[in-house]
Amino acid sequence: MIKTPYLLFLGDAPDALKAKVAQGIKDWRPENAVGQFRMEGCKADLGLPDMGLAEARAAGAQTLVIGVANRGGVISPAWKKVLVAALEEGFDLASGLHNLLRDEADLAAVAKACGRELHDVRVPDVDYPIANGVKRSGKRVLAVGTDCSVGKMYTGLALDRSMKAAGRKSTFRPTGQTGILITGEGIPLDAVVADFMAGSVEWLTPDNDADHWDIIEGQGSLFHVSFSGVTLALIHGGQPDALILSHEPTRSHMRGLPDYALPSLEALRDMALPLARVANPDCQVVGISVNTAAMSEDEALACLSEIEARMGLPTVDPFRQGAERLAEALDAL
Amino acid sequence: MIKTPYLLFLGDAPDALKAKVAQGIKDWRPENAVGQFRMEGCKADLGLPDMGLAEARAAGAQTLVIGVANRGGVISPAWKKVLVAALEEGFDLASGLHNLLRDEADLAAVAKACGRELHDVRVPDVDYPIANGVKRSGKRVLAVGTDCSVGKMYTGLALDRSMKAAGRKSTFRPTGQTGILITGEGIPLDAVVADFMAGSVEWLTPDNDADHWDIIEGQGSLFHVSFSGVTLALIHGGQPDALILSHEPTRSHMRGLPDYALPSLEALRDMALPLARVANPDCQVVGISVNTAAMSEDEALACLSEIEARMGLPTVDPFRQGAERLAEALDAL
């Protein structure tokens, strides 16, 4: 529904993590990303060609995707000038922010005048049911993290790639704006009304073939007090057969919460598994994904090896190594 | 803001539990309830005088309160005729349903023509922040249940009554439509957008005197897969110092989930306390409230006594006995 390819708008992102929406598109649909647009002071860089609007249009870009995820989701006034110019230049706009493009009077007016489309992938466009907890056919796997933004989406996308490469049946099921922008479908879980969260996850992962795996994109963390309720709705609505623990070993405190230390992988396992077994008594923890982006190759391999020995579970960095060992762990279930 | 007293509309409620909104108003603000309005087939009865619309107006009723909580929150066509007649008779309408009075074109039109007000207490009217997890001054207590609808709100209201009766500082903090209709303030937590759930609870329970207790109304259950995410947001946003375990011992399965058995009180304690300590490492389980409405007095006392001995915690039915022993347990913290 969103016209490709994209020009990825990084705005004035203060750090690379803030640009994870754009990074995800570039990593998993590189053919859709013709370039990046960065404003003065931008601290993120995807390694794509920096392009102006006219240059990107000439290179074929159809949609300017806001590739920056801000806390609170505000469309900053500093971005407005660029977005208006993009519409005038012939771009559609796509965004996963809480603040909607369509609610900005100036953008809505210019889009209408220019005949362009505004895509707000954050907004639910389905009346989700209340979860009924009924057991569904097919298999489901979910990544749960020690913190937010530790690589759960990457783990899911890499696992989907490994599953498909070996001819296994799988579907990546996005639950956030980046995943929706990458695959074109999914649920914007953090924008769903509380009572319908778990029901939206049931809706996303319906009955399927007995040997089919839904790979559900994880969100938040049971240990992140801002978003833990979203995580639990995902666990109970998804009724996973398998959990993967996700971790970023260099982080000094929970993201955005300086007073909160990260839990250990053992603590995450011991918290998540009993909760998951409320919805699916057969659920197992099958593996661990570690985001070692901040480490050298030697450090990363040592870290993975230490965790694997300690936890007794296949442990990989899916970005460095692919997720084949996690796929094999699902085979073994 | 909602004009009192009320006529309580029970509609065609199929059982007494569905009328818990009206029951709560009658129990905790009896001076606001002049009568009940029941349609044919209604299986709920508050023991208030049955009144027609004109009769209730003559008795002073200002607002018809929809006292029925339906799964999914639909305003049934069967109710419409009564609601339109009530507006024409001079009533305002108040509702906590998901489906809004204001979104029903016929009700909105008649209300406008008659100069009446439509109060949808379900709808958030505040832009809640994302939770920041910062430790707040003052004390907080939260009831967590083995299931939904086991008496958590009653426990909180009774505890507030006991606290105030003995001159302690406390505030009941509603998180659902009944509580909001009773006290006139609070957050409609199950209608809050997922990302802002915990932040809305922080907003509801701000810094306070060191010896003041916020009594936060509980919602859902960690073991109820439809609503567990709401419960966890309440635990992490509320950062309670004290938890009260709430239980209904005669229930044969989780409410609305025939395939799910209720957890034991031990399982609830062992699940809730580690989660609560993520936000407040000093949190303690201080007591147990049991809803024994379905039992004789002898059965109830035997049940309470067995649980108290087994769990080693003060155990009361706040509706039969008041909540003074729970208030004393808070004093002892």
Side-chain angles (χ1 to χ4, degrees):
Chain A
M1 286 174 47
I2 301 174
K3 294 196 201 94
T4 57
Y6 305 148
L7 174 63
L8 301 178
F9 176 76
L10 306 188
D12 45 7
D15 60 59
L17 267 176
K18 285 283 195 323
K20 70 174 187 166
V21 173
Q23 185 73 45
I25 296 169
K26 184 249 185 180
D27 290 336
W28 299 102
R29 291 288 186 281
E31 67 276 19
N32 285 349
V34 302
Q36 64 186 11
F37 186 103
R38 302 194 297 161
M39 293 169 58
E40 189 167 326
C42 180
K43 298 288 194 303
D45 184 354
L46 303 177
L48 289 171
D50 283 301
M51 289 187 180
L53 297 173
E55 185 185 0
R57 282 292 287 157
Q62 304 287 317
T63 301
L64 183 78
V65 174
I66 298 183
V68 177
N70 279 353
R71 199 172 159 89
V74 176
I75 297 175
S76 97
W79 295 358
K80 274 289 182 65
K81 199 174 156 191
V82 178
L83 302 182
V84 167
L87 289 167
E88 291 169 345
E89 194 74 42
F91 285 92
D92 289 346
L93 302 183
S95 161
L97 300 176
H98 273 294
N99 280 39
L100 304 185
L101 298 171
R102 71 183 71 166
D103 289 343
E104 304 289 317
D106 43 1
L107 296 182
V110 175
K112 190 173 176 188
C114 301
R116 311 312 316 162
E117 288 188 61
L118 303 178
H119 298 280
D120 289 300
V121 303
R122 169 81 62 168
V123 185
D125 54 3
V126 172
D127 285 333
Y128 301 114
I130 288 179
N132 64 23
V134 173
K135 177 74 179 166
R136 305 190 292 289
S137 56
K139 298 285 187 183
R140 285 157 199 87
V141 56
L142 172 69
V144 293
T146 50
D147 192 3
C148 300
S149 306
V150 293
K152 297 184 296 294
M153 187 190 71
Y154 266 70
T155 299
L157 285 161
L159 181 54
D160 184 49
R161 184 175 282 172
S162 294
M163 297 286 278
K164 288 190 166 69
R168 304 176 184 97
K169 297 184 197 170
S170 74
T171 308
F172 178 71
R173 299 294 192 184
T175 60
Q177 63 270 28
T178 307
I180 296 172
L181 286 167
I182 291 174
T183 70
E185 62 179 12
I187 55 168
L189 184 57
D190 58 8
V192 172
V193 165
D195 249 4
F196 303 95
M197 293 186 298
S200 73
V201 182
E202 290 187 348
W203 175 92
L204 179 70
T205 59
D207 282 320
N208 215 314
D209 296 346
D211 60 344
H212 175 275
W213 282 91
D214 270 338
I215 300 167
I216 307 171
E217 182 190 351
Q219 295 291 341
S221 166
L222 291 170
F223 290 83
H224 196 295
V225 296
S226 309
F227 307 117
S228 54
V230 179
T231 308
L232 186 52
L234 204 46
I235 292 172
H236 281 169
Q239 53 184 229
D241 302 273
L243 295 177
I244 292 167
L245 309 181
S246 295
H247 186 51
E248 206 285 57
T250 70
R251 203 161 297 177
S252 58
H253 61 75
M254 297 294 284
R255 187 160 170 78
L257 306 176
D259 299 334
Y260 289 76
L262 266 75
S264 65
L265 284 160
E266 288 88 341
L268 173 62
R269 174 195 64 203
D270 295 345
M271 194 76 93
L273 194 56
L275 285 166
R277 286 181 172 167
V278 170
N280 186 341
D282 298 327
C283 185
Q284 302 285 341
V285 175
V286 298
I288 298 172
S289 71
V290 183
N291 176 350
T292 63
M295 296 177 164
S296 71
E297 182 79 6
D298 284 353
E299 288 171 331
L301 295 178
C303 172
L304 293 167
S305 166
E306 184 277 322
I307 291 172
E308 178 149 347
R310 201 177 88 221
M311 300 292 293
L313 289 166
T315 302
V316 301
D317 181 334
F319 194 67
R320 285 183 195 266
Q321 305 169 312
E324 178 57 26
R325 293 185 65 214
L326 299 177
E328 289 166 5
L330 296 183
D331 291 342
L333 255 200
Chain B
M1 286 174 48
I2 302 175
K3 293 197 203 94
T4 57
Y6 305 148
L7 175 62
L8 301 178
F9 176 77
L10 306 189
D12 45 7
D15 61 59
L17 267 177
K18 285 284 196 323
K20 70 173 188 168
V21 173
Q23 186 73 45
I25 296 169
K26 185 251 185 179
D27 290 335
W28 299 102
R29 291 287 187 281
E31 68 276 19
N32 285 348
V34 304
Q36 63 186 14
F37 185 104
R38 301 194 297 161
M39 293 170 59
E40 191 167 324
C42 181
K43 297 288 194 301
D45 184 354
L46 303 176
L48 289 170
D50 283 301
M51 289 186 178
L53 296 172
E55 185 184 0
R57 282 290 288 157
Q62 303 287 317
T63 302
L64 183 77
V65 174
I66 298 183
V68 178
N70 280 353
R71 198 171 160 88
V74 176
I75 296 174
S76 99
W79 295 358
K80 274 289 182 64
K81 200 174 153 189
V82 179
L83 301 183
V84 167
L87 289 167
E88 291 169 345
E89 194 73 43
F91 285 92
D92 289 346
L93 302 182
S95 161
L97 300 176
H98 273 296
N99 280 38
L100 304 185
L101 299 170
R102 71 184 68 165
D103 290 342
E104 304 290 316
D106 44 359
L107 296 182
V110 176
K112 188 172 178 188
C114 300
R116 310 313 315 164
E117 287 188 61
L118 303 178
H119 298 281
D120 289 300
V121 304
R122 169 82 62 169
V123 184
D125 54 4
V126 171
D127 284 334
Y128 301 115
I130 287 181
N132 63 25
V134 174
K135 176 74 178 165
R136 305 190 291 291
S137 55
K139 298 285 187 183
R140 285 158 199 87
V141 56
L142 172 70
V144 292
T146 51
D147 193 2
C148 301
S149 307
V150 294
K152 296 183 296 294
M153 188 190 69
Y154 266 70
T155 300
L157 284 161
L159 181 55
D160 184 49
R161 185 176 281 173
S162 293
M163 296 287 279
K164 288 191 166 69
R168 304 175 185 98
K169 296 184 197 169
S170 75
T171 308
F172 179 71
R173 300 292 192 184
T175 60
Q177 63 270 27
T178 307
I180 296 172
L181 286 167
I182 291 174
T183 70
E185 62 179 12
I187 55 168
L189 184 57
D190 57 8
V192 172
V193 165
D195 249 5
F196 302 96
M197 293 187 298
S200 74
V201 181
E202 291 187 347
W203 176 92
L204 179 69
T205 59
D207 282 320
N208 214 315
D209 296 346
D211 60 345
H212 175 277
W213 282 90
D214 269 337
I215 300 167
I216 307 171
E217 181 189 352
Q219 295 292 339
S221 166
L222 291 171
F223 290 83
H224 196 295
V225 296
S226 309
F227 308 117
S228 54
V230 180
T231 307
L232 186 51
L234 205 45
I235 292 173
H236 281 170
Q239 53 184 230
D241 302 275
L243 295 176
I244 292 168
L245 308 181
S246 294
H247 187 50
E248 206 286 55
T250 70
R251 202 160 297 177
S252 58
H253 60 73
M254 297 295 284
R255 186 159 171 78
L257 306 176
D259 299 335
Y260 289 77
L262 267 76
S264 66
L265 283 161
E266 289 88 341
L268 173 61
R269 175 196 62 201
D270 295 344
M271 195 77 93
L273 195 55
L275 285 167
R277 287 182 172 167
V278 170
N280 185 341
D282 298 326
C283 185
Q284 301 285 341
V285 175
V286 298
I288 298 171
S289 71
V290 183
N291 177 349
T292 63
M295 296 178 163
S296 72
E297 182 79 5
D298 285 352
E299 288 171 331
L301 295 178
C303 172
L304 293 167
S305 166
E306 184 276 321
I307 291 172
E308 177 150 346
R310 201 177 86 221
M311 300 292 293
L313 289 166
T315 302
V316 301
D317 181 334
F319 194 67
R320 285 183 195 265
Q321 306 169 313
E324 179 57 26
R325 292 185 65 216
L326 299 177
E328 289 165 5
L330 296 184
D331 291 342
L333 256 199

